DNA sequence: CGGCGTGTTGATCGGTTTCAAGGAAGGTGG
DNA sequence: CCACCTTCCTTGAAACCGATCAACACGCCG
């Protein structure tokens, strides 16, 4: 398949915050790559309890090969931009390119490890450790290579390695990712603030003056 | 590669209960298929907290393609029998057979879904629901197609659809899979016993007179 | 018989949830 | 431009579930 042919079938798609990108129940007709924004995968039980089972960042696939439906709902956590391939096109590409196949396989294995690591967070960490873990995850994704807001302000001035980022999640979403309630998340954030581990500007703008201190905070210590 | 050549490189391996099958840190040199028994994958933190992140049953792979190490420890939960391929042999087979590749991909996707489903259990279910979920999982695996003990006694006589199986996990392992303590697991088991949801013989032999009742038990109800 | 590993049961403690009230931010219409 | 409303977040007080601490029972093997 030539590049031109591929390009004819690819299309961009934008999804505003809160938009359902992929319903777990129906057979998807396309597969997408996140160009910008954050996607959350979640499961909701009949009585309304909700658990976010994965966060996906730019570069990751949404949907899966062969169009097997997965029992989770994909929703835009922020405004999201996708690059979408029709399912059939993507399958053809997979069959033609061993390299692409490799990439998909590796990404799937990575997601599996990620999910299992998070099982430890959910099953064995305290609220304090959970919130710290989430902030570390965010710091990692939104600073390193993410297109998403990083160093929104001026060049690093205060501390040599201070880190500023905007949380892509509401308190409710943080709670749903951590298996906590909104209130507990809020309390833990406040606690970290009073202890100087983080600074908060307007609920979503987070400054981490010292990553190491945050890391330490997320490993057992008590205030 | 001919069948004969393959057979020359394959070998059986037995691992008694508790034996470490695969250390997450070191690069594995082989990949195996479980012929019998149950394998647990787990993560332990420095301070000793432990979480089982997956249980694997006959037919599933232990290890992963290209020998990428995963950060989890694989241990025999029961006596386990494996069929092992050298890493290089397996990679060759994968490259030669699209079908095998498919199988590996599908199994990986299934494990991913399983892990995420369990995240919901860990993050959002109560102790009662957790234990019920685990028993249902066991009932499913140890009755349907598993080689593992099922209907250890006589043919179904009491209830038309009564189910008997031997738990492949100790109370401590159940707790580590559910993010609970041993005591809580034990109490929940006792509670189910007094309520007639299950019968227990010697800590590991479980009888489920009515699967539907167990299912209902694992969905909110309180005693 | 005695000791050890494993599982059960009881009493108490504490972290998280629940319930409740109030505050900050953003949008809309007067 | 400001009052008003809605949504999201924070904070406090009390209740509750599961953890912790502790004692005991059971099976197994020496």
């Amino acid at each position: 398949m030539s590049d031109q042919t591929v390009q004819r079938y690819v299309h961009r798609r934008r999804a505003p915050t809160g938009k359902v990108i992929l319903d777990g129940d129906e057979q998807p007709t396309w597969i997408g790559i996140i160009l910008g924004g954050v996607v959350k995968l979640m499961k909701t039980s009949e009585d309304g309890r909700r658990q976010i089972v994965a966060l996906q960042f730019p570069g990751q696939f949404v949907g899966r090969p062969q169009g097997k439906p997965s029992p989770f709902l994909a929703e835009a956590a922020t405004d999201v931009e996708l690059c979408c391939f029709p399912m059939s096109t993507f399958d053809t590409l997979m069959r033609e390119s061993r390299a692409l196949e490799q990439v998909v396989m590796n990404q799937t294995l990575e997601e599996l490890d990620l999910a299992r690591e998070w099982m430890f967070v959910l099953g064995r960490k305290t609220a304090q450790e959970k919130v710290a873990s989430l902030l570390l995850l965010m710091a990692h994704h939104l600073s390193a290579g993410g297109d998403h807001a990083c160093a929104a302000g001026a060049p690093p001035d205060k501390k040599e390695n201070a880190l500023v980022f905007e949380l892509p999640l509401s308190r409710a979403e943080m709670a749903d990712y951590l298996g906590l309630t909104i209130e507990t998340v809020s309390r833990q954030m406040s606690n970290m603030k009073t202890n100087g581990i983080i600074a908060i500007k307007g609920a979503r703008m987070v400054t981490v003056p010292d990553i190491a201190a945050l890391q330490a905070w997320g490993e057992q210590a008590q205030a």
Side-chain angles (χ1 to χ4, degrees), chain A:
Chain A
M1 193 180 280
S2 74
D3 284 0
Q4 290 183 353
T5 313
V6 171
Q7 299 221 349
R8 195 174 304 151
Y9 290 109
V10 162
H11 72 282
R12 291 288 183 89
R13 187 176 162 195
R14 314 188 115 276
T17 304
K19 170 102 179 181
V20 172
I21 295 177
L22 212 58
D23 188 328
D25 298 324
E26 63 196 33
Q27 175 113 355
T29 60
W30 52 271
I31 193 168
I33 295 178
I34 303 174
L35 299 178
V38 179
V39 174
K40 57 182 174 175
L41 248 59
M42 52 190 190
K43 163 168 179 162
T44 309
S45 65
E46 279 136 44
D47 60 355
R49 281 177 287 182
R50 179 172 301 178
Q51 177 70 43
I52 294 181
V53 298
L55 292 178
Q56 303 195 289
F57 295 87
Q60 294 193 268
F61 293 101
V62 173
R64 55 178 49 175
Q66 291 125 260
K68 298 260 179 61
S70 95
F72 302 100
L73 185 76
E75 198 177 295
T78 65
D79 289 352
V80 168
E81 189 165 8
L82 291 168
C83 172
C84 301
F85 299 76
M87 204 62 245
S88 57
T89 306
F90 193 81
D91 278 347
T92 304
L93 286 173
M94 284 256 293
R95 239 171 286 118
E96 284 181 11
S97 161
R98 211 92 202 182
L100 176 59
E101 214 171 45
Q102 269 316 318
V103 169
V104 172
M105 186 67 199
N106 285 339
Q107 194 164 113
T108 305
L109 288 174
E110 194 138 328
E111 287 193 64
L112 182 57
D113 282 345
L114 259 272
R116 287 173 170 170
E117 290 282 354
W118 208 252
M119 287 174 67
F120 183 91
V121 173
L122 290 173
R124 291 308 188 189
K125 290 203 175 184
T126 65
Q128 172 172 318
E129 295 169 317
K130 283 179 175 180
V131 174
S133 297
L134 180 52
L135 291 180
L136 282 170
L137 182 72
M138 290 306 163
H140 176 71
H141 275 282
L142 304 182
S143 71
D147 66 334
H148 216 261
C150 164
D157 46 359
K158 295 221 166 197
K159 299 280 180 174
E160 38 195 337
N161 53 355
L163 206 62
V164 183
F165 58 88
E166 187 181 351
L167 277 174
L169 303 178
S170 68
R171 293 292 184 272
E173 289 170 321
M174 293 175 68
D176 286 337
Y177 194 35
L178 295 171
L180 297 172
T181 58
I182 302 176
E183 295 94 327
T184 300
V185 171
S186 181
R187 273 186 253 271
Q188 292 299 334
M189 296 284 283
S190 300
N191 198 6
M192 293 172 98
K193 189 170 64 177
T194 57
N195 281 84
I197 303 297
I198 59 172
I200 309 178
K201 172 96 180 169
R204 288 206 178 209
M205 213 51 163
V206 176
T207 304
V208 182
D210 181 1
I211 286 275
L214 175 56
Q215 210 140 15
W217 187 260
E219 287 168 4
Q220 185 76 305
Q222 213 67 3

